[in-house]
Amino acid sequence: MDGTLVDSEKVWDISLDDLAAELGGTLSLATRKAMTGSSQDRTITMLFTELGRPHDPAEMAAASAWLTKRTGELFSAGLPWRPGALAALRLVRASGLPTALVTSTQRDLTELALDSIGREFFDLTLCGDEVGRTKPHPEPYLTAAERLGVEPADCVVVEDSPTGVTAAAAAGCTVLVVPCEVPVEPGPRRVFRDTLAGLDLATLAGLRGELIADTAH
């Protein structure tokens, strides 16, 4: 969702910087980039480490609640689409392909984002606080495939971050990588595209063949 469908990573930039200031410090660009695609728990842990604060569970829980509230305020103002994302969602939905939204963002914030994105595009949505292990672990994508009733090897995952790409590839899916805020390195099961603009069903259907061809070379 974040950075793949909507340009919400810039919203997270604001709320995370605000939280760092609230905690009496600043968030470095390197740590912020490392947070991209992570769950909120992992993000809070990284922030506390960055600021040199003890990992006190009560303080971290309070910081997480503060971040949720601030990000929710920003999400409620509306989220801008990534290039081609809305047209791609409409295309896939019209085709009848089973579709899931798999995000590291927690459920309450995802629901706010879906007010902008549209719940009608997805057969199911799976959030970071609804799985035991979040991205980069493959569990979120394995769970989504199981609930859709499809094999991971038959799935195309669209991702923008190294964390999400690692999860999808480890699940055995073909990954259409459209980088947003941070670069993604080439690797197994990955096909790269600069944007979702102009995406069509023939291109989606050909992704696995393109992956096989690349492997053969």
Side-chain angles (χ1 to χ4, degrees), residues 72-83:
E73 292 169 353
L74 297 169
F75 272 23
S76 295
L79 296 168
W81 287 97
R82 292 283 294 148

Side-chain angles (χ1 to χ4, degrees), residues 7-145:
D7 205 2
S8 48
E9 288 297 347
K10 292 180 177 60
V11 173
W12 284 104
D13 287 345
I14 296 170
S15 59
L16 284 165
D17 282 344
D18 288 351
L19 175 58
E22 181 75 10
L23 294 173
T26 58
L27 177 61
S28 71
L29 180 59
T31 300
R32 172 64 189 102
K33 287 185 175 181
M35 291 172 174
T36 304
S38 296
S39 68
Q40 188 152 316
D41 285 345
R42 182 167 178 259
T43 293
I44 293 294
T45 299
M46 294 173 73
L47 179 61
F48 270 60
T49 299
E50 168 96 339
L51 300 181
R53 297 181 68 94
H55 291 190
D56 178 81
E59 289 189 11
M60 295 175 79
S64 183
W66 195 99
L67 181 62
T68 296
K69 182 177 183 296
R70 178 65 178 129
T71 308
E73 292 169 353
L74 297 169
F75 272 23
S76 295
L79 296 168
W81 287 97
R82 292 283 294 148
L86 177 56
L89 279 178
R90 288 172 172 165
L91 174 79
V92 171
R93 180 45 99 197
S95 75
L97 289 170
T99 307
L101 176 68
V102 182
T103 178
S104 293
T105 300
Q106 61 194 48
R107 171 58 66 182
D108 50 0
L109 287 176
T110 299
E111 287 298 321
L112 289 175
L114 286 170
D115 289 339
S116 294
I117 296 170
R119 294 168 181 78
E120 68 274 12
F121 291 117
F122 309 104
D123 295 297
L124 68 91
T125 58
L126 185 67
C127 301
D129 52 351
E130 296 171 340
V131 291
R133 292 161 294 186
T134 58
K135 305 173 188 178
H137 195 277
E139 181 181 339
Y141 282 115
L142 293 172
T143 301

Side-chain angles (χ1 to χ4, degrees), residues 164-190:
V165 170
T166 298
C173 307
T174 297
V175 192
L176 176 57
V177 186
V178 186
C180 179
E181 295 292 328
V182 293
V184 178
E185 295 296 323
R189 313 195 69 83
R190 306 174 188 190

